[in-house]
Amino acid sequence: MEFMSTELMAPKIFSSCHVFNTPDFNLLATLESGQVFGFTKEADGGFLGALNQVEVRLRQEENHLLVETEGETVLEEAVRRYFDLDRDLNLVYSHLLSDPRLKPAHKAFKGLRLIRQNPWEAVAGFIVSANNNVKRIQGIWQRLSNSLSENPRIFPSASAIAISNEPALRKIGLGYRAPYLLATARKIADSPERLTQIDQTDYEEAKELLMKYPGVGSKVADCILLYGFHKLEAFPVDVWVSRFMRKFYFRNRKVSEKRIGLFARKRWDSLAGYVQQYLFHAARCQVIKL
DNA sequence: TCCCAGGGATGAC
DNA sequence: GTCATCCATGGG
């Protein structure tokens, strides 16, 4: 499969660097916890990618987040909003610390924050994520950007994918997800307002609306609601979350993903999505043994 | 080689 | 409404 890795591309030189005071932030955990697929880690620990369709290099030095961009294009407010920097995480921590099963996740990943990414990118990314692994999703993300986007470092728009075709998407490696992504891109290119309206819709109805898009089932819809619309009661139940929840809260009984979601919302209420992110990352990284 | 991965669509019941 | 089966692909 031929695709240009970012390392082989001309090295990007950024002209300006913005510094953010971030006393309770963990960039590494935030970007490596499976919320976004478009950032590639560099040798010095920095990350190259795009934030709101703007190329950036991100780096953390102790209590400072450094955002390199071309010109003065990055708005202060946009970055704070993207990384949810103005949230007091102590409410999340109180959930994690009051439960011995979740404590290791706090210790390992304190400062992990939920990202508010572009809704379309969340839709596309998590359609690709179905029965897939993070490494492969990232590769597909890069190849979609390289082959279908005007700027190969930025993820293609819905319209750009809409004018593609199934064989091209299969060649990129989407497999059986190719027709799903294509059909959904075309629906969203046709009426983008149907997607953006979800922002003002409550969780339950928003989930139903999202599941009308091909390739979007219950779990993917929850991911889109959590990472694309910042609806924090969303509790995506993938294989890792399912294992964790069954082992620690359901005595290893087999329970439906729907029941797990209901249980989580009852227990952690409007912060269920945040708790999920910590426990998913901890389970997947084996910080918590399952 | 087999197993697994941030599951969804479909059809049977 | 729930449940089994099938679906591409590549990393481990």
Side-chain angles (χ1 to χ4, degrees):
Chain A
M1 192 68 67
E2 33 67 49
F3 79 96
M4 273 195 294
S5 75
T6 48
E7 287 80 10
L8 295 177
M9 286 194 207
K12 182 75 187 178
I13 307 295
F14 294 96
S15 60
S16 64
C17 183
H18 312 252
V19 181
F20 294 80
N21 192 22
T22 52
D24 190 17
F25 183 52
N26 185 336
L27 179 68
L28 182 67
T30 299
L31 292 182
E32 292 195 329
S33 61
Q35 308 182 55
V36 286
F37 306 109
F39 287 97
T40 56
K41 195 165 160 189
E42 301 187 296
D44 68 350
F47 288 88
L48 203 57
L51 193 158
N52 296 341
Q53 273 68 254
V54 176
E55 286 179 60
V56 294
R57 194 205 315 276
L58 305 168
R59 201 151 39 90
Q60 179 164 27
E61 288 181 1
E62 296 182 355
N63 288 340
H64 297 288
L65 168 64
L66 288 77
V67 182
E68 294 177 60
T69 63
E70 191 62 50
E72 303 296 322
T73 42
V74 161
L75 303 169
E76 162 112 15
E77 236 357 89
V79 172
R80 302 200 71 81
R81 181 179 157 83
Y82 186 82
F83 285 115
D84 201 22
L85 290 178
D86 295 321
R87 175 176 304 276
D88 180 2
L89 289 181
N90 284 309
L91 293 171
V92 178
Y93 299 158
S94 69
H95 285 312
L96 301 179
L97 293 171
S98 66
D99 190 328
R101 294 160 286 200
L102 295 172
K103 234 175 184 169
H106 172 271
K107 182 177 169 65
F109 303 125
K110 180 180 183 303
L112 165 57
R113 288 172 185 272
L114 285 172
I115 287 172
R116 266 183 225 254
Q117 58 184 288
N118 173 284
W120 152 246
E121 293 185 6
V123 169
F126 285 95
I127 285 177
V128 174
S129 81
N131 198 22
N132 211 337
N133 61 65
V134 174
K135 261 283 183 280
R136 253 191 94 226
I137 301 165
Q138 290 172 331
I140 290 171
W141 186 280
Q142 296 295 336
R143 294 194 289 280
L144 285 170
S145 303
N146 282 329
S147 57
L148 298 179
S149 180
E150 262 182 54
N151 182 337
R153 299 176 189 273
I154 295 178
F155 193 74
S157 65
S159 340
I161 290 185
I163 59 174
S164 183
N165 56 74
E166 190 178 323
L169 295 180
R170 282 186 182 273
K171 191 171 181 184
I172 283 170
L174 277 113
Y176 61 84
R177 309 166 196 84
Y180 301 153
L181 182 62
L182 186 60
T184 292
R186 288 178 174 167
K187 283 184 78 167
I188 291 173
D190 269 353
S191 54
E193 71 282 358
R194 276 221 314 239
L195 181 62
T196 51
Q197 272 169 2
I198 285 177
D199 197 39
Q200 303 127 359
T201 312
D202 65 88
Y203 169 72
E204 294 290 347
E205 189 185 349
K207 186 165 175 177
E208 284 183 24
L209 291 174
L210 281 175
M211 288 174 67
K212 293 180 186 298
Y213 292 107
V216 179
S218 173
K219 188 267 173 183
V220 167
D222 273 327
C223 287
I224 297 166
L225 290 170
L226 189 55
Y227 310 126
F229 291 98
H230 210 69
K231 295 196 184 292
L232 302 185
E233 63 271 58
F235 191 87
V237 181
D238 77 312
V239 290
W240 293 102
V241 174
S242 177
R243 280 177 202 146
F244 180 98
M245 295 297 288
R246 276 181 315 167
K247 178 176 173 74
F248 291 124
Y249 299 101
F250 293 91
R251 296 192 219 161
N252 261 327
R253 284 174 297 157
K254 46 190 267 180
V255 286
S256 70
E257 290 158 9
K258 186 172 183 177
R259 250 190 88 185
I260 294 174
L262 289 171
F263 174 89
R265 264 183 292 286
K266 187 177 287 185
R267 188 177 182 90
W268 297 301
D269 195 47
S270 58
L271 289 177
Y274 251 103
V275 174
Q276 180 271 161
Q277 198 61 27
Y278 276 83
L279 80 81
F280 165 76
H281 196 39
R284 196 169 76 95
C285 296
Q286 299 187 42
V287 164
I288 299 173
K289 286 283 185 186
L290 297 179

